[in-house]
């Protein structure tokens, strides 16, 4: 659960130079500066250093393998003692105060860099396939993946896409609903259970009695109705418990030597104990009642939650070595502290009832619901045979009490509620079930007094109520209607009007709020005494099982930090991301799937006994119910990767980190973008067999995604390939698109590299497909660098076909729509041609990337007329931008090939080094 | 061997060609053009003639007239060389060169002159109209100075000269297009075929239609009746219909006050087509709706404006006549209508209008040569 | 028998570059059988970070005492793996790289089985070599904090200022009378239209401002000796005194010469109306108003591009990079100076790369005519009275012959190596490329370094460059130089000659052949022996074979090492390689996902136990062929499917289930 610790290097936060961009120019600049003994921080927004060069097959004109040239540099960059590399990071707020200050934000990759060995086990097991960006969308990759074989560092990442599914986000207990649903969908019920046990030890109870806030937020609830997550959970917990009578061994941390006492064995206490025990602490739970389980045990009736299930859930906790001492009411936690416990958690719940306190309410036959439920469950079941029973209150306990009364053979059971049905706090499903069983509901009534005979209640006086305006909390007040009082005969009354924290006995020992809850820090759940924490309903007020369990988990997290001697509040609890957008999910991926119908025993039959009212799913039903899931987030959070990782390197709780840094100089090496051919509709980009040159580079690279060279449209081995040069370069017609909101190309500059990389690819293709015809359509062949013209002539000699003429229109062949027809004028012959090719490569040009200027808070570097970073003194200081101390290297300044980028990086490094030297000399 | 003549470039700029020397010879314009085809590649070839000063080659190429100025070439030109404007300029130059008096050249290259000439001609024509009723009060005094016959005969001579110019131009064009041309194997069959194709094309302009159908064309998804092809067709058929109706009326000597008379009906429908087409064309040019409407020369405006006015004023007259609604305003409108219509016909050979007879000739040549 | 040897062998797939042809598994197995070899592995990418970590772990855990990586050229990765060794406590010189890529898989890609056999020989040789290799310790040299910059053109001057700013002393050595080089005569420089003269003046000013820079003009270099850290450059200044300059490193920035056309090449020399671009630039700079040649005002100018360049048959095969833009900017300058010019450009390809394209655009918009010729039919030029007639077959007009008459013809000549570049090369012992420009070690890995340690290149002596690019490269060189000598001490490769004094009786033969003056005579007890100055020795090894008594050898190349390598290579190979060199040698098992995406399931069901092509799968499932390709390739990537082979019609691969 911890976040990755920043490397404790001596240069933390203080650098000579910050290089932004880890492509070839950035690496080269960083290495040059590091060689000069400058401390360099290299910031790269991607998952690896390497830039675009690492995607290339080979490089012109030497035909060296690009990887062979880049990997040593990447390796050296990552390892150089003077360079610190920060990946997945962006820089912002760059301001000059003498030197530069800036903020570096690092996105979480959910894999601990120091621990990951790059074994790819997580990638193997991950069931989700996404489009692979490194391979330019030609193949898929997993959600858990290593960015590419040659990545540096070669470690995995979990692509959570920045969101959690709504069900996961909704769960106050931090249970991964989408995760277990996706596993259940695949029949992996054991895995689903294991996933649940990662976040909560009480799946059996929750599967029956949870109010399932996840279902309330389920995207499908906006369509046919939510995925039945609770019942799926009930199914896999039953499936698992049937298979495993005793819990499987869990990986515990080594004993910490710390002792923790927990007061209360309800959901909060049990959950906290579970997580603290996993952390290696020695945990003892003190329970005042004679049996453990809190509300689960005492109040939830058997027909909803059988004792055996609670026992099995508790076994998950006790099997970790947690001791439960029942019948041990603690009144002062300090005694425990003094008795040798390092910390104490109070999780006593809300076991006191609010009483009506009206005339006659001390008469016999009037009980509070908690006593009633507890006695009926673990005590003596008193028969109510033939009695007319009234239950006062509209909450879930009222439902439980009334249905229990029915089962105790009451002649009739009536619920009296002072507001109307809409205001009832009870869970609608439970209300429905109660009514099905024969419970009568009377609304807008309130008891005024009871009258009795021989100390037993015989009648009650009621007053009719009317609803007023909503109060601040949105609930409508109810007021008595004058003169509407009337008498009703009654034999037994159950008061179910509210629960109160069981804190009266603790009042002397702990600071309490007015409502009796314990005063805690809402985030850490720590009280004013650092060793004392409080969780669950006793701290939050009456809530739900899952909310209480969530509190227990939270308390365990911070309590563990306290025990480990860490600053308690310095870490953020939880691994949730912002919620994904249900409306968008429904729009994009909805498929029809009807709800699986409820399965209850008949109301008339089930009210006769305490056996469970709801039937469980079959395997098939569970899978079908899970199959209705709409896959709302990029990552399922199924944690199969977490479980398989042999290095325990995957950590979903990683958070975005921000660090403040200082530096003397900045080198911008943010590189370029390739022209998006969709901007030019004539190029038919989108047809699978019209690809970009970088895609072709991937297709022919030694690390290529495809087995042989096949075209993406239908897997055919192309026999006839065309290159369309100047796609997006030297083209002022593209500025026509600025009006449509697309990026402007501003001015028709030449991209400088396309001719040569096309010739390179043509040469490589001639090698790998000796029978293929390669045609390059060009305007001018710009082979101007050292050895380039020779390379060009060599390609001509090899038989690459060069046609002077810019391709104007690309269309799918009317014969075979997989084939591509180009329309072009062959300038040297002066004739118009329509030529069919198997595969067409668009030699896309370079577009500027300049967002970095927005990271400057004070003076921003200027852009040139082409929107590249402006070099203000090209003849004298070719790396100098308009801001003193800020330099630019490589294609951030202009289109250029790799040798020129490397030279430009060297020049920027020289500029930065001279600048720093001069500053240090006090220029 | 062609001798390079850079002055031609400057001449064409005077005729309204844009920055066509910006061309870097990528051939996009030729390849993007739906009408360009094997053996009739344009517009880059013609641009090249302009760059190098190859005047005769430029004029001898029927491809010049195959273009309907849809503007795809200019839209996609990576150097903003505006081939469409260049083609239009070269056509103006060709019209000027084909006409023996040199008047057309003057009108095309000088806007002030063009305006002055149109106005003067309008005055003269108005005057000429007034002479049609020699006993009219207003003009009686003139005939004391100038005999009615002389004025009328001068008018007729001008008309005849116009027709001669027109014929001369056509003959000139034929000569240029067929220079060094070898007859095909079966010349008669080829001739018949070419004539057939020409007529079909003239009636339907189906080649023009293909211009609006490109994937990326602005017009692709627009209703048919708003497409440039339809607009052009409406104007053309509207004008021809009116011409026929007027001629028949003239022959029948029946001004036709009956609305349901066939000639009247034809006139009405044609008039609607003409006004619809020219209104839209004017709107497109004013709104510069696509890049092909961005640049308009004075000759475009004069031509379109005259057509529109002739059509609208014609309707005015029709309504006035039908409603028997006489006023002095109507008289003026009638006068203007007649003047503008006359001017259109008179300047047929000296204006943009001339394309109406050069294009068929070029189409015919194109089809015949291809046979 | 001596103690157990502990060699680690790593065979690299190079992502298919090697493993597609060489049977790496067989190689691995053969080595594994060798008693000296403790670890034998094959790796997807030996150079990757994870592989390096794996090697480090092996070295530490298995206590390896020597290591071989069989991969690419040692030029690329020797340092990488030496560092691996050093990091894990193994002497870096107990590492040998065997090149089975360039020498086997690439050289014999048509003979996969033989390539494997050859690789096996090389690997065995490498193993023997590493067993005989000595542990060496790098030589540490104190460096002079001074740099000699040869040539005071813009490149040299700019590097000098940068080095001085970083704190180095600079000797700026210029053969001409003053600093400035060729740029001073240029007008309208790309990209900012500034003038060359102004730039030169500015740089001269910067040099004067820095006392650390000592400028020597009219200086000729007599002799260069020494080595990295301590070079001695003997310079005679102004023909008089000879100075001995002591520098830690040398930057060569000697620039280029303009190509001089041959007599009558495009009419050159036939009259004053044919001139080269530099000559025309000088003419442009020399006055204002009408441009006059032979007393006549020039109205029409033609440029012929690529004069002396891009020759398929001639000596200069290369493109001179900067001349297209130079010619066009001179045309723009001519327009600016004299209105009403008609300018014709006769070119082959216009190479106004990058932002220079705007010059081309401006010139065409100004009305310049561009005509394109091919090398096969170059323009013909003849004098016609006072003007010139040029005929050209214009490729832009369907190869029509065009005739033009002009008043002036400008031959766009490119850059050629300096006429004295041969001398400079032999003075500094640096190599020249086939284009006769000085050669760097590697254009991307080490673009400003020469094979001589401590000697660097900047500017256009390395190849044609624009001014800005020249400045950029000399600055890059400056940062490399400072990175090496700036700390004061340098670590050098210990691969130097060594004299075994016992066997030496100083005959002087070794000293005579040494080109680096690294061997001198010295007393050794009662005898005279040769001694080697290890910082001057470059390890070329020429001394070893001339020694009559085998008293001198070269570290890393001792007789024992070489002989053992020859023996091992000659021994029979123990492997019977499979002829195919089948690619799937990584040994990785198919990845067993517990759940497949729905589409995969449908496709796998369709494939069944057969092998199917993508169109067939698409037909059977009703999916789009494009989607099928994507999913099939992803399944191949995750080893759910494997390619079976290519169809009969040689168009489609077929695929089958992995299990």
């Amino acid at each position: 659960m911890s976040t990755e610790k920043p490397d404790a290097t001596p240069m933390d936060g203080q650098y000579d130079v910050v290089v932004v961009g880890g492509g070839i120019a950035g690496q080269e600049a960083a290495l040059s500066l590091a060689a000069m003994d400058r401390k360099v921080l290299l910031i790269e927004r991607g998952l690896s250093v390497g830039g675009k060069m690492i995607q290339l097959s080979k490089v012109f004109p030497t035909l060296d393998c690009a990887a062979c040239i880049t990997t040593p540099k990447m390796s050296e960059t990552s390892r150089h003692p003077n360079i610190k590399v920060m990946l997945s990071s962006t820089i912002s707020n760059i301001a000059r105060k003498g030197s530069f200050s800036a903020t570096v934000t690092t996105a979480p990759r959910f894999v601990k860099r120091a621990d990951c060995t790059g074994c790819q086990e997580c990638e193997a097991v991950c069931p989700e396939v996404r489009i692979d960006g490194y391979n330019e969308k030609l193949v898929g990759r997993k959600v858990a993946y290593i960015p590419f074989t040659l990545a540096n560092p070669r470690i995995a990442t979990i692509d959570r896409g920045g969101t959690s599914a709504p069900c996961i986000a909704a769960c106050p207990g931090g249970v991964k609903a989408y995760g277990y649903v996706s596993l259940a969908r695949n029949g992996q019920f054991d895995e689903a259970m294991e996933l649940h046990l990662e976040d909560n030890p009480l799946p059996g109870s929750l599967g029956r009695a949870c109010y399932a806030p996840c279902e309330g937020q389920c995207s499908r609830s906006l369509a046919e109705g939510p995925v039945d997550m609770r019942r799926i959970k009930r199914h896999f917990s039953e499936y698992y418990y049937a298979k495993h009578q005793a819990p499987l061994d869990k990986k515990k941390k080594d004993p910490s030597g710390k002792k923790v006492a927990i007061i209360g064995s309800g959901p909060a206490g049990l959950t906290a104990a579970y997580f603290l025990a996993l952390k290696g602490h020695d945990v003892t739970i003190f329970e005042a009642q004679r049996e453990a389980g809190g509300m689960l045990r005492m109040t939830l009736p058997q027909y909803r939650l059988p004792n055996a299930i609670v026992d099995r859930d508790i076994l998950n906790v006790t099997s970790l070595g947690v001791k439960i001492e029942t019948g041990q009411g603690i009144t002062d936690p300090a005694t425990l502290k003094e008795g040798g416990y390092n910390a104490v958690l109070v999780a006593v719940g809300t076991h006191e009832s609010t009483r009506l306190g009206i005339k006659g309410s001390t008469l016999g036959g009037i009980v509070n619901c908690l006593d009633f439920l507890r006695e009926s469950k673990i005590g003596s079941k008193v028969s109510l045979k033939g009695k007319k029973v009234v239950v006062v209150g509209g909450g879930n306990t009222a439902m439980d009490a009334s249905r229990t009364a029915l089962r105790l053979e009451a002649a009739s059971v009536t619920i009296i509620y002072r507001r109307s049905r809409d205001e009832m706090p009870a869970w609608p499903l439970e209300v429905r079930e109660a009514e099905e069983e024969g419970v009568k509901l009377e609304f807008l009534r309130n008891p005024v007094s009871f009258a009795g005979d021989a100390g037993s209640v015989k009648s009650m006086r009621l007053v009719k109520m009317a609803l007023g305006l909503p109060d601040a909390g949105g609930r409508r007040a109810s007021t008595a209607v004058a003169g509407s009082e009337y008498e009703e005969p009654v034999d037994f009354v159950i008061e179910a009007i509210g629960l109160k924290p069981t804190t009266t006995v603790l009042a002397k020992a702990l600071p309490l709020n007015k409502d009796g809850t314990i005063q805690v820090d809402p985030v850490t759940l720590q009280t004013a005494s650092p060793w004392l924490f409080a969780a669950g309903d006793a701290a939050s007020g009456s809530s739900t099982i899952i909310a209480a369990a969530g509190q227990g988990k939270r308390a365990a997290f911070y309590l563990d930090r306290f025990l480990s001697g860490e600053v308690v509040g310095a870490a953020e609890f939880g691994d949730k991301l912002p919620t994904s957008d249900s409306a968008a999910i429904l729009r994009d991926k909805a498929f029809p799937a009807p709800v699986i119908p409820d399965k209850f025993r008949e109301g008339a039959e089930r009210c006769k006994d305490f056996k469970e009212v709801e039937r469980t799913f079959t395997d098939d039903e569970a899978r079908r119910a899970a199959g209705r899931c709409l896959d709302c987030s990029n990552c399922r959070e199924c944690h199969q990767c977490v479980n398989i990782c042999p290095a325990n390197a995957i950590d979903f709780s990683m958070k975005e980190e921000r660090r403040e840094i200082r530096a003397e100089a900045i080198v911008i090496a943010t590189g370029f973008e390739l022209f998006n051919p969709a901007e030019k509709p004539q190029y038919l980009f989108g047809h699978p067999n019209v690809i970009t040159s970088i895609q072709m580079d991937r297709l022919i690279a030694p690390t290529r995604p495809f087995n042989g060279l096949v075209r993406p449209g239908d897997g055919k081995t192309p026999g006839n390939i065309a290159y369309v040069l100047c796609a997006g370069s030297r083209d002022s017609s593209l500025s026509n698109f600025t009006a449509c909101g697309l990026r402007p190309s501003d001015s028709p500059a030449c991209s400088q590299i396309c001719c040569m990389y096309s010739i390179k690819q043509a040469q490589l293709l001639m090698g790998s497909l000796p029978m293929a015809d390669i045609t390059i359509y060009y305007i001018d062949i710009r082979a101007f660098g050292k050895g380039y013209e020779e390379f060009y002539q060599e390609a001509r000699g090899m038989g690459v076909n060069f046609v002077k003429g810019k391709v104007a229109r690309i269309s799918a062949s009317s014969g075979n729509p997989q084939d591509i027809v180009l329309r072009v004028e062959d300038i040297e012959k002066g004739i118009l041609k329509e030529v069919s090719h198997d595969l067409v490569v668009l030699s896309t040009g370079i577009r500027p990337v300049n967002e970095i200027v927005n990271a400057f808070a004070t003076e921003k570097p200027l852009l040139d007329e082409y929107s590249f970073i402006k070099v203000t003194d090209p003849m004298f200081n070719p790396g100098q931008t308009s801001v003193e101390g800020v330099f630019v290297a490589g294609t951030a300044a202009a289109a250029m090939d790799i040798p020129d980028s490397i030279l430009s990086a060297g020049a920027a490094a020289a500029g930065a080094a001279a600048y720093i030297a001069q500053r240090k000399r006090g220029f | 061997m062609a001798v390079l003549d850079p002055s031609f470039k400057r001449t064409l700029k005077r005729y309204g060609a844009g920055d066509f020397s910006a061309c870097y010879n990528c051939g996009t314009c030729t390849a993007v053009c739906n009408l360009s085809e094997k053996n009739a590649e344009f517009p880059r070839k013609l641009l090249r003639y302009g760059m190098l000063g190859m005047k005769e080659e430029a004029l001898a190429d029927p491809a010049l007239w195959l273009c309907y100025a849809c503007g795809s070439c200019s839209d996609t030109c990576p150097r903003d060389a505006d081939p469409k404007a260049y083609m239009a300029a070269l056509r103006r130059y060709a019209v000027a060169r084909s006409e023996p008096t040199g008047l057309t050249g003057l009108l095309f290259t000088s806007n002030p002159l063009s305006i002055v000439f149109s106005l003067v001609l309008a005055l003269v024509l108005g005057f000429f109209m007034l002479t049609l009723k020699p006993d009219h009060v207003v003009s009686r005094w003139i005939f004391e100075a100038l005999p009615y016959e002389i004025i009328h005969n001068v008018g007729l001579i001008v008309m005849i000269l116009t027709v001669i110019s027109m014929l001369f131009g056509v003959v000139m064009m034929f000569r240029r297009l067929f220079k060094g041309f070898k007859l095909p194997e079966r010349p008669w069959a080829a001739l018949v075929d070419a004539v057939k194709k020409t007529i079909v094309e003239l009636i339907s302009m189906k080649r023009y239609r293909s211009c609006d159908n490109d994937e990326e064309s602005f017009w692709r998804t627009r209703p048919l009746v708003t497409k440039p092809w339809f607009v052009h067709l409406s104007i053309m058929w509207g004008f021809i219909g009116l011409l026929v109706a007027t001629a028949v009326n003239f022959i029948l000597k029946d001004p036709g006050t009956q609305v349901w008379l066939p000639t009247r009906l034809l006139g009405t429908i044609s008039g609607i087509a003409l006004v619809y087409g020219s209104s839209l064309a004017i709107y497109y040019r004013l709104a510069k709706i696509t890049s092909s409407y961005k640049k308009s020369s004075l000759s475009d405006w004069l031509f379109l404006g005259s057509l529109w006015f002739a059509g609208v004023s014609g309707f005015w007259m029709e309504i006035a006549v039908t409603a028997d609604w006489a006023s002095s305003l109507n008289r003026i409108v009638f006068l203007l209508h007649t003047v503008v219509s006359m001017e259109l016909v008179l300047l047929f050979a000296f204006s943009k209008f001339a394309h109406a007879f050069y294009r068929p000739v070029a189409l015919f040549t194109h089809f015949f040569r291809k046979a | 028998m001596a103690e157990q040897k502990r060699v680690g062998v790593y065979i690299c797939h190079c992502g298919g570059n090697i493993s597609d042809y060489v049977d790496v598994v067989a190689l691995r197995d053969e080595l594994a059988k060798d008693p000296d070899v403790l670890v034998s592995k094959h790796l997807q990418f030996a150079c990757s970070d994870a592989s390096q970590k794996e090697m480090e772990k092996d070295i530490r855990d298995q206590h390896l005492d020597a290591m071989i990586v069989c991969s690419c050229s040692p030029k690329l990765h020797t340092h990488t793996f030496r560092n691996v060794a050093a990091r894990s406590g193994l002497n870096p010189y107990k590492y040998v790289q065997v090149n089975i890529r360039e020498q086997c898989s690439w050289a014999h890609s048509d003979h996969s089985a033989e390539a494997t056999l050859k690789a096996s020989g090389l690997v065995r040789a490498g193993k023997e070599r590493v067993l005989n290799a000595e542990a060496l310790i790098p030589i540490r040299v104190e460096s002079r904090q001074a740099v000699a910059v040869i040539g005071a053109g813009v490149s040299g001057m700019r590097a000098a200022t940068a080095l001085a700013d970083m704190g180095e002393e600079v000797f700026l050595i210029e053969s001409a009378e003053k600093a400035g080089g060729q740029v001073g005569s240029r007008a309208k420089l790309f990209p900012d239209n500034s003038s060359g003269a102004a730039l030169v003046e500015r740089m001269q000013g910067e040099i004067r401002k820095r006392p650390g820079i000592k400028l020597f003009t009219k200086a000729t270099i007599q002799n260069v000796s020494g080595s990295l850290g301590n070079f001695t450059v003997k310079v005679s200044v102004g023909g008089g005194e000879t100075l001995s300059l002591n520098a830690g490193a040398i930057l060569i920035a000697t620039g280029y010469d303009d190509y001089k056309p041959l007599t009558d090449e495009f009419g050159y020399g036939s009259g004053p109306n044919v001139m080269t671009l530099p000559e025309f630039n000088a003419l442009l700079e020399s006055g204002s108003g009408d441009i006059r040649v032979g007393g006549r005002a020039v109205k029409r100018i033609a440029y012929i591009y690529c004069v002396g360049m891009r020759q398929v048959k001639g000596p200069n095969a290369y493109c001179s990079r900067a001349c297209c833009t130079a010619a066009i900017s001179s045309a723009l300058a001519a327009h600016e100076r004299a209105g009403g010019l008609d300018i014709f450009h006769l070119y082959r390809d216009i190479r106004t790369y990058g932002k220079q394209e705007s010059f081309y655009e401006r010139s065409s918009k100004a009305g310049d005519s561009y005509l394109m010729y091919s090398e096969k039919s170059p323009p013909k030029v003849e004098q016609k009275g006072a003007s010139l007639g040029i005929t050209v077959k214009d490729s832009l007009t369907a190869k029509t012959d065009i005739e033009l008459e002009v008043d002036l013809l400008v031959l766009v000549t490119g850059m050629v190596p300096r006429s004295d570049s041969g001398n400079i090369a032999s003075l500094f012992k640096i190599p020249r490329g086939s284009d006769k420009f000085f050669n760097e070690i590697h254009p991307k890995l080490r673009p400003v370094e020469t094979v001589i340690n401590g000697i660097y290149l900047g500017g256009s002596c390395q190849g044609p460059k624009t001014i800005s690019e020249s400045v950029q490269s000399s600055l890059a060189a400056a940062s490399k130089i400072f990175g090496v000598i700036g700390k004061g001490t340098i670590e050098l490769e210990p691969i130097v000659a060594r004299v075994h004094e016992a066997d030496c009786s100083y005959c002087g033969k070794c000293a005579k052949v040494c080109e680096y003056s690294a061997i001198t005579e010295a007393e050794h007890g009662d005898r005279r022996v040769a001694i080697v100055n290890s910082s001057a020795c470059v390890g070329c090894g020429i001394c070893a074979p001339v020694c009559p008594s085998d008293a001198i050898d070269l570290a890393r190349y001792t007789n024992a090492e070489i002989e053992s390598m020859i023996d091992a290579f000659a021994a029979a190979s123990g492997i019977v390689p499979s002829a195919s060199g089948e690619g799937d040698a990584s040994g990785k098992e198919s990845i067993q996902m517990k759940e497949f995406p729905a589409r995969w399931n449908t496709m796998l069901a369709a494939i069944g136990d057969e092998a199917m092509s993508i169109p067939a799968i698409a037909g059977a499932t009703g999916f789009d062929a494009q989607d099928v390709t994507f999913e099939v390739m992803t399944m191949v990537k995750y080893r759910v499917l494997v390619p079976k082979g290519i169809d009969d019609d040689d168009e489609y691969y077929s695929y089958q289930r992995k299990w």
Side-chain angles (χ1 to χ4, degrees), chain A residues 536-720:
Chain A
D537 288 0
S540 65
S542 172
S543 66
T544 60
I545 306 171
I546 189 64
Q551 282 232 322
K553 189 175 170 190
R554 174 182 288 270
F557 174 77
Y558 288 107
L559 218 153
D560 173 59
R561 290 183 64 82
F562 167 75
L563 291 172
S564 319
E566 286 164 300
V567 180
V568 171
E572 205 183 321
F573 167 73
D575 55 10
K576 283 180 193 173
L577 296 175
T579 317
S580 36
D581 175 8
S582 294
I585 291 154
L586 277 172
R587 192 178 59 233
D588 298 342
K589 12 185 195 181
F591 57 94
V595 285
I596 313 290
D598 287 338
K599 290 204 342 184
F600 287 100
R601 290 160 63 205
E602 275 302 309
E605 174 215 323
R606 72 188 184 221
C607 67
K608 293 186 179 116
D609 57 41
F610 278 90
K611 288 188 200 138
E612 284 198 78
V613 294
E614 188 181 31
R615 288 199 197 93
T616 188
F617 273 149
T618 63
D619 286 3
D620 180 57
E621 279 172 330
R623 290 186 67 161
R624 273 196 294 129
R628 302 175 61 239
C629 173
L630 286 166
D631 294 296
C632 294
S633 54
N634 199 49
C635 170
R636 294 179 178 184
E637 307 193 23
C638 66
H639 285 203
Q640 297 189 83
C641 51
V642 178
N643 295 331
I644 202 145
C645 179
N648 274 326
I650 300 176
D651 178 0
F652 272 63
S653 71
M654 278 185 161
K655 301 283 187 301
E656 181 181 279
E657 287 170 39
R658 279 160 180 277
R659 273 173 224 148
E660 298 304 316
I661 55 130
R662 295 194 72 81
E664 297 292 323
I666 294 171
V667 175
I668 296 172
T670 44
F672 64 98
E673 235 170 44
L674 286 163
F675 169 71
N676 173 11
E679 282 184 44
K680 193 140 171 132
Q682 290 92 342
Y683 285 160
L684 199 72
F685 189 61
H687 189 292
N689 295 332
V690 178
I691 63 172
T692 62
S693 47
I694 187 105
Q695 288 182 312
M696 180 51 106
D697 245 304
R698 289 310 308 144
L699 286 178
I700 54 180
T703 51
R704 61 180 165 260
F706 290 10
N707 50 297
L709 182 71
V710 299
R711 68 179 181 187
D714 62 355
K716 179 181 167 182
T717 302
N720 185 346

Side-chain angles (χ1 to χ4, degrees), chain B residues 9-10 55 63 65-66 69 81 83 95 119-120 122 126 131 142 150 161 166-167 169 175 223 274 313 326 356 370:
Chain B
K9 203 156 45 190
R10 293 189 272 273
K55 282 177 247 182
W65 296 100
L66 300 180
V95 170
L119 288 178
V120 169
T131 64
I142 296 168
I150 291 179
L161 279 179
M166 199 169 81
L167 290 176
R175 280 188 50 189
L274 180 74
S313 55
K370 250 177 77 172

